[in-house]
Amino acid sequence: MLCVASDITALSQDGRSLRQTRDQALRAAHTDDLTGISNRAHMLQQAGALIAQGQPLVLVLLDLDHFKGINDRFGHPAGDEVLRDFARQLQASTRRDDGCGRIGGEEFMMLLPGTDLPQARAVVQRLLEHVRAARPLAEAPAQGNTTSAGLALHRAGECTGALYRRADQALYRAKQAGRDRLVCDGAPA
Ligand SMILES: Nc1nc2c(ncn2[C@@H]2O[C@H](COP(=O)(O)OP(=O)(O)OP(=O)(O)O)[C@@H](O)[C@H]2O)c(=O)[nH]1
């Protein structure tokens, strides 16, 4: 009897540690190593899930301006610090139900469910202001940086790829128009 009980205890401990290992692996697969926020695959998965729920959704793409210059002047570790600082600001500017992630080198994404255009615009403009004011490098306290952003509001029946492309085109226009600004799809730069 004692034997059976200890076997069951061992089995349930094994099950718990398997679940923990699985959860850790899942978290790692969803996370960007450098910044600790969501990675590209997880952001696209989240966008698909939010679209499937059918609630209003704004997708924002953000890209640090002239980031190569930071690496060139201060070195790659300093560039990494700027990326981590940006990720912290991005997280601070989103609500619990929003999503934010790093989707490439110096490119980030925000998902704002249940948000209309004026609200989304205000969130992004506030973030751009904070980035403008930040001085993330201790070794170069005068060095600031800026970000460009492209925003698109989901249209009924649209897939993730089409929504992403419209935000990306808006981001491209923000870069073309001089950077350090937000462009909304369908609106002038
Ligand atoms: N430190 C650091 N740099 C990275 C990382 N990933 C990409 N980069 C760098 O990001 C830079 C991106 O440069 P560009 O694509 O020319 O863009 P940019 O200089 O920001 O110019 P614009 O986007 O046109 O304003 C390249 O120098 C990459 O090496 C990273 O994880 N860490």
Side-chain angles (χ1 to χ4, degrees), residues 3 5 13 15-16 32 40 61 72 79 89 96 104 115-116 121 136 138 140 143 156 179 181-182 185 187-188:
C3 251
Q13 275 169 355
R16 235 192 337 268
D32 172 56
R40 180 186 183 89
L61 293 178
D72 291 349
Q89 298 200 47
R96 231 163 62 102
T115 308
D116 63 18
R121 218 189 288 250
Q143 180 65 36
R179 297 176 174 79
R181 71 195 63 212
L182 165 66
D185 175 64

Side-chain angles (χ1 to χ4, degrees), residues 34 63-69 71 76 79-80 83 102 105-106 175 179:
L34 179 71
D63 186 291
L64 273 64
D65 295 327
H66 301 303
F67 182 66
K68 185 175 180 307
N71 278 336
H76 213 267
D80 285 355
L83 292 172
R102 179 177 177 228
E106 22 64 282
K175 291 277 182 185
R179 297 176 174 79

Side-chain angles (χ1 to χ4, degrees), residues 20-86:
Q20 280 169 353
T21 308
R22 185 203 54 199
D23 291 348
Q24 279 165 2
L26 206 59
R27 251 197 312 280
H30 287 172
T31 305
D32 172 56
D33 283 346
L34 179 71
T35 60
I37 61 176
S38 292
N39 60 20
R40 180 186 183 89
H42 191 220
M43 289 306 289
L44 292 176
Q45 189 187 324
Q46 276 188 63
L50 289 166
I51 288 173
Q53 283 170 21
Q55 56 176 319
L57 175 67
V58 170
L59 188 152
V60 187
L61 293 178
L62 303 120
D63 186 291
L64 273 64
D65 295 327
H66 301 303
F67 182 66
K68 185 175 180 307
I70 303 268
N71 278 336
D72 291 349
R73 280 186 67 194
F74 305 106
H76 213 267
D80 285 355
E81 189 44 44
V82 170
L83 292 172
R84 279 192 290 265
D85 182 73
F86 183 82

